[in-house]
Amino acid sequence: MEALVCMKLGDPTVPMTSDSSPIAAVTKFHPVPAIASSTSVRVRIRATSLNFANYLQILGRYQEKPSLPFIPGSDYSGVVESVGNGVSRFKVGDKVCSFAALGSFAEFIVVDEKDLFLVPEGCDLIAAAALPVAFGTSHVALVHRAQLKPGQVLLVLGAAGGVGLSAVQIGKVCGAIVIAVARGDEKVQFLKSLGVDYAVDLEKGNIIESVKNFLKSKNLKGVDVLYDPVGGKLTKDSMKLLNWGANILIIGFASGEVPVIPANITLVKNWTVHGLYWGSYKLHQPHVLRNSLEELLSWLSKGLLTVHISHSYSLSKADLAFSAIKDRKAIGKVMIALEGSTAGRSKL
């Protein structure tokens, strides 16, 4: 089968034709994974999502470090190709999606039936592949942890990225007042098209004063929930906007800088700081992930969510896909499409 294999740790944006590239596209010769048990399901992958965590993992800078060589990849969608003799929930031909610790950058993957989700009728498979990690992270953070309520003010940093856009949309579904922060006019205009209540361009002036003026114009005291996949100085500045009793959701550190949240101010203002490592829920509270993804698929089927695919690449162009992540070129999700699948603004 076709697969992308990480042979050594390094920068996956290095051209795959170079000897220094850590990744290699293996065409036709990589073994197809066997049905491992009576409840195993083999899925022919149609699309798989590229997340910042995949980039960090190949660099060797992610918290989970698999043994080399390995096939990267996490969330995916596809069609059931084969089932074990004990499988009762799925049949050959069913459209499914899921997530895995590794292995989705390939033509086939084998998983237990308990880890699969049926894609609702009418839902696009590429959209379904983009759903689990990005939208799952935001759903667990906003709905399960912060318990976002209608009328609360949600501030989303890095709002034009994969998780950022998902947080913006979930915030609107929950009835929140959504303030989105991004860099550059193209991203800001796109966020406005999604119906955010206020969009701030990091390239234009003081964002704190800009957001304060918006809050004042709406007779709002401050921000109730901070969604932060960025870190660094932007986190420190955003804390000046938070209400008493606010929830801070720590999603990641795309800036490369881990922020310091003062414990004394946290105490005085009764803030709650939530660390959110979405993948660990599969080990500790798998029912939370299952309930979350089932609700997200329901929202997707009802048209409450729109998955915006910024770029879609083949496995042989994975270096370009990683570059789109590294260089922050994407507005929304970056995808790997197999079997001739296409989607989004850029198809390579």
Side-chain angles (χ1 to χ4, degrees):
M1 69 171 182
E2 186 178 12
L4 188 79
V5 181
C6 179
M7 307 300 295
K8 59 185 177 183
L9 300 180
D11 186 352
T13 67
V14 172
M16 292 172 65
T17 53
S18 169
D19 290 340
S20 59
S21 173
I23 53 177
V26 179
T27 306
K28 307 295 184 185
F29 303 112
H30 200 83
V32 174
I35 295 291
S37 73
S38 62
T39 56
S40 290
V41 177
R42 183 160 59 224
V43 177
R44 179 183 289 273
I45 293 175
R46 291 288 177 84
T48 181
S49 177
L50 200 68
N51 300 292
F52 193 66
N54 305 129
Y55 170 68
L56 292 177
Q57 198 167 54
I58 295 173
L59 281 174
R61 289 166 47 191
Y62 196 59
Q63 51 260 41
E64 293 179 358
K65 296 177 172 59
S67 301
L68 294 166
F70 64 89
I71 298 174
S74 43
D75 40 354
Y76 62 91
S77 68
V79 177
V80 173
E81 189 263 350
S82 183
V83 298
N85 57 21
V87 171
S88 59
R89 296 178 54 235
F90 300 97
K91 64 182 185 301
V92 173
D94 280 347
K95 295 179 180 179
V96 294
C97 69
S98 191
F99 53 92
L102 294 168
S104 70
F105 288 7
E107 193 176 355
F108 293 99
I109 192 169
V110 170
V111 295
D112 194 89
E113 69 168 334
K114 73 178 187 309
D115 295 324
L116 279 178
F117 297 82
L118 193 66
V119 175
E121 194 68 32
C123 288
D124 178 71
L125 274 178
I126 294 186
L131 202 69
V133 173
F135 281 81
T137 295
S138 294
H139 186 274
V140 170
L142 294 171
V143 177
H144 177 68
R145 297 290 291 278
Q147 298 182 22
L148 183 65
K149 297 175 179 62
Q152 287 190 317
V153 178
L154 167 65
L155 177 63
V156 180
L157 308 183
V163 291
L165 278 183
S166 68
V168 163
Q169 291 195 59
I170 290 170
K172 295 304 293 182
V173 172
C174 291
I177 298 165
V178 178
I179 302 172
V181 179
R183 186 179 298 279
D185 186 64
E186 182 185 6
K187 293 178 179 180
V188 167
Q189 294 305 318
F190 179 74
L191 287 163
K192 289 180 178 178
S193 75
L194 291 180
V196 300
D197 297 276
Y198 191 62
V200 186
D201 188 346
L202 282 170
E203 294 179 348
K204 296 180 180 178
N206 187 316
I207 72 158
I208 303 306
E209 288 305 313
S210 178
V211 172
K212 281 183 176 179
N213 289 337
F214 166 76
L215 292 170
K216 185 178 180 180
S217 72
K218 300 296 182 182
N219 200 29
L220 297 166
K221 292 182 179 180
V223 170
D224 300 299
V225 178
L226 171 62
Y227 183 95
D228 182 13
V230 177
K233 184 178 182 297
L234 192 55
T235 304
K236 182 179 179 181
D237 289 343
S238 298
M239 287 189 289
K240 299 172 185 176
L241 299 166
L242 299 184
N243 271 333
W244 183 95
N247 285 278
I248 301 172
L249 295 162
I250 305 299
I251 307 300
F253 315 107
S255 68
E257 182 182 342
V258 178
V260 174
I261 300 175
N264 59 331
I265 299 177
T266 301
L267 182 153
V268 171
K269 294 201 172 184
N270 279 273
W271 291 342
T272 301
V273 181
H274 305 265
L276 198 286
Y277 176 27
W278 180 83
S280 65
Y281 272 86
K282 188 171 183 179
L283 176 63
H284 297 286
Q285 293 183 345
H287 65 281
V288 172
L289 291 191
R290 174 160 289 280
N291 293 342
S292 172
L293 191 47
E294 285 175 349
E295 182 163 52
L296 286 169
L297 286 166
S298 173
W299 287 356
L300 184 66
S301 69
K302 294 173 182 176
L304 297 176
L305 301 175
T306 301
V307 180
H308 182 72
I309 309 300
S310 179
H311 297 72
S312 183
Y313 299 88
S314 65
L315 277 177
S316 63
K317 300 290 186 180
D319 51 339
L320 299 179
F322 281 109
S323 292
I325 293 283
K326 178 183 178 182
D327 299 337
R328 294 179 171 81
K329 297 174 183 175
I331 300 177
K333 291 295 296 177
V334 177
M335 305 296 293
I336 299 289
L338 292 91
E339 285 198 339
S341 298
T342 58
R345 299 165 62 229
S346 181
K347 313 174 188 70
L348 298 163

